[in-house]
Amino acid sequence: MTQEVRPDSLNSLSLLTALFALCAALAGILFNRSNNRCLIAKNEAIMAQAQANDLWEFYQSRNMRVEITELNIALAVAMPRAVKTGLDEKIKKLKSEKDVTFVQARKAEAERDRFNQISESYLDVLRRFSLSLAFLQLALALSPVFLALRRPAVLWAAVCIGGAGIALLLLGAARFFALPN
């Protein structure tokens, strides 16, 4: 049984369809922006990891130089006092550089972890926008089906699915705007 669609129902359906289309467009734009920010944060994390790797390699080389210099002092018992003092100063300098490098490497790792966390947060937002977009597109597809079949159940399905899409859009947007740029 088909029911006659009243003109005011068509106006309401047109407005509802326009609302779903507007929200779908907004979800698409925010999806792309979230995707870009997610990729940028992931690239920053990779760069921070590369910097941490370089610093750890430098730390290891300083550590080896300290050990070699200490070994040279231990092996050269008959070394003049001035040479030993110079080597002791060199060891102090190398240990100081090693300590500074250790702190810098830890900071680079913390920066990597921070960017990975930001990237994961944007990935969570991406999932919300993706679902929102899918629900809104489905709701948009059901509007002409309602007009063809004239079944109120189809209209209610479109409204419920579109409402879920709008809710996901709002949740994603709230999270998106709370995240750092």
Side-chain angles (χ1 to χ4, degrees), residues 76-87:
V77 177
M79 202 179 279
R81 186 164 183 79
V83 174
K84 282 186 179 180
T85 303
L87 287 176

Side-chain angles (χ1 to χ4, degrees), residues 88-145:
D88 286 337
E89 291 300 319
K90 184 177 180 180
I91 288 173
K92 285 180 187 176
K93 180 182 175 197
L94 289 172
K95 284 183 176 180
S96 173
E97 289 175 355
K98 185 179 84 161
D99 293 342
V100 168
T101 304
F102 180 86
V103 170
Q104 289 174 335
R106 289 288 186 206
K107 283 181 182 177
E109 287 179 336
E111 192 74 0
R112 174 209 57 206
D113 294 342
R114 186 177 73 83
F115 280 119
N116 274 332
Q117 181 61 40
I118 290 170
S119 178
E120 287 299 317
S121 296
Y122 277 113
L123 194 56
D124 179 53
V125 170
L126 276 171
R127 289 183 193 111
R128 292 178 192 190
F129 288 142
S130 178
L131 281 173
S132 170
L133 199 51
F135 284 171
L136 289 165
Q137 288 173 342
L138 183 57
L140 285 168
L142 287 175
S143 295
V145 172

